[in-house]
Structure formats: C-alpha cells, structure tokens
Amino acid sequence: MLSAKSLFQEILDDDESFRLFCSIAASGESQGGWENGRIAALVPLSERDLAPKVARHGADEDKHGRIFNALMRKRGLRPVDVPPETDYTMLLEKHGIGLAHQQLKADEPLTVRDVVTYLAHSRVTEQRASEQMDLLRKYFADDPDIGRAVKMISADEDNHLAYCHEELLRFAYAGHGRDIQRILRECALEEIRVYRDVSLAVMEHMGHILRWPKPKAALLAACIHAVYAYERLVGWRRMVSLEMPERRNALGGPATSAVEFA
Ligand SMILES: [Fe+2]
Ligand SMILES: [Fe+2]
C-alpha cells in the first residue's frame, strides 16, 4: 500500500535518497538562516524590538541546517548538490516572494513595509514548514535515528509560525491590515505553485534513485497535482488567516542549542 509514511520510510532507508532529502532540507534551512540573519541586521530603528526575534528565527533555521547535515554525517554520508528545480527557497525568491537577496546583501536599512513583507512571507512558508514537520513527527517521533531531530525542528517551526501570527497582528492593529492581507494572498498563491513544482521535481529524483515503476511515479505525480488543485481552490485560505497564538512571544529568548546533533 502506498502511504505517505511508507514513502518517507523508503526515502529514509536508502542512503542515496536519504542524502538527497537531507541535502535539500539542509540547504533550504541555511538559506532561511542567512535571510533572517540579514533581515535582523537591517531592521529599521523604529522596529528594533523585533531584531532579536528575527535573529533568533535565523539562528533556529541555521541550527536546522546543521541538524540535517549531522544526520547525514551520522550515516557516513556527504551532502550532494541540490538540483535547482528542487530548491524551494531559491525558487520562491526568484518568484519575487519575500525580500530579494540583492536587497539583503546591501547595507540599506529596510522599511517598515519590507518588514511587513518579510513577516507575511514567513507566515506562509512557516505554515508549510510546520505542517511538513508535523507529518514527520507523527510518523517518526520514535525513530531511533531521526526522532529527536524531527521533534526539535517541529517544535521550532511551530514557534516560528506563532511568532509570525503575533507580529503580523501587531502590524495589522497599527494600520497595515490591508497590505498584509494582499501580500499574504499573493504569497500563498505563488507558494502553492512553487511547492507543487518542487514536489514534482523531488519525486522525480527520488523515483530515479529508488527505481520506482512508472505507475507508482505517475500515481505520486497525480497526488501532487491533486493537492495543488485542492490548495488552489480552498487550501490556500489556511495560509492567510491571522490568529493570536496560544504561545506568545515564542521567539523571545535565546535559541536552544543542538549540541547533540551538530
Ligand atoms: Fe526550519
Ligand atoms: Fe522556520
């Protein structure tokens, strides 16, 4: 029977597919870490209370990158180059989601509007991250190799999402509500497309490594298209709502360390 769990299990069991999976994840996390680190450095003076939280967000993502690298090392594997068509973070940036790397590389302080854009972008992508890690946690929380890593990353992603909700609500109360709704909507509709394309590309690589028969590959591709159709119709709405999270100030305080992994 083909299930999400058996699919993940198959990818985790094979060294080649495991290392591609971890390399893609590690690269996305470290890109996220770099972006947040730069944003923290460029936060405008009027929003300086936000800077330590953005820095903490970046530190968490860097830590996740190190964890995925450590998981590979533990199995004696080295990272592989990430095929560009599977590079979620890079493709999002290419499609104009979030802040352009060129802007982040410069030393000009961001505007409040840039900060709002960054938060809205993160609210959408952290929803994805949090849901994906939730799935992995559900299936592999007790796995001796990846269980602890999955639980730690999943808890962090939940915090990131909570932080985005809380900060965006604060900006909405301060009069940025319409902007936020527009950016969230644009970003969500673009994200679901990029996510579909990246999923198809990742599955094609995995199918090649794991020698999946044609019908299995076709079925998986059909599932990915079905998920997109659902998200395009109604699913995207879950990515644009704003609710005050139960856990406030989720990114207040320093990042938890991952010495046991990295
Ligand atoms: Fe992360
Ligand atoms: Fe995150």
Side-chain angles (χ1 to χ4, degrees), residues 22-36 39 57 61-62 64-65 68 82-102 104 118 121-122 125-126 128-129 132 157 187 190-191 193-199 202:
C22 288
S23 301
I24 292 173
S27 136
E29 298 280 8
S30 359
Q31 277 184 68
W34 178 82
E35 287 173 4
N36 280 284
I39 293 167
H57 189 184
E61 304 300 7
D62 276 336
H64 300 166
F68 280 112
V82 173
E85 67 277 18
T86 65
D87 196 331
Y88 172 76
T89 317
M90 194 197 71
L91 287 170
L92 286 177
E93 195 235 335
K94 249 194 186 155
H95 284 81
I97 296 188
L99 303 178
H101 283 190
Q102 217 176 354
L104 295 182
Y118 142 74
H121 165 231
S122 300
T125 54
E126 293 298 335
R128 186 69 78 187
Q132 292 212 302
E157 303 301 5
C187 180
E190 199 61 63
E191 195 278 346
R193 254 195 306 270
V194 169
Y195 180 71
R196 172 198 62 190
D197 294 346
V198 166
S199 303
V202 170

Side-chain angles (χ1 to χ4, degrees), residues 2 218-228:
L2 187 63
L219 178 61
L220 282 171
C223 290
I224 293 169
H225 283 291
V227 167
Y228 174 72

Side-chain angles (χ1 to χ4, degrees), residues 122-175:
S122 300
R123 187 258 172 271
V124 171
T125 54
E126 293 298 335
Q127 170 104 31
R128 186 69 78 187
S130 151
E131 286 174 358
Q132 292 212 302
M133 290 313 300
D134 211 46
L135 203 65
L136 285 179
R137 176 168 55 185
K138 199 167 107 204
Y139 298 144
F140 300 109
D142 297 325
D143 184 281
D145 297 320
I146 65 162
R148 270 191 323 157
V150 159
K151 279 187 279 187
M152 176 186 247
I153 299 177
S154 177
D156 286 345
E157 303 301 5
D158 293 346
N159 280 342
H160 299 168
L161 185 58
Y163 146 81
C164 292
H165 275 272
E166 184 177 349
E167 298 299 332
L168 279 172
L169 278 175
R170 185 170 62 78
F171 279 107
Y173 293 137

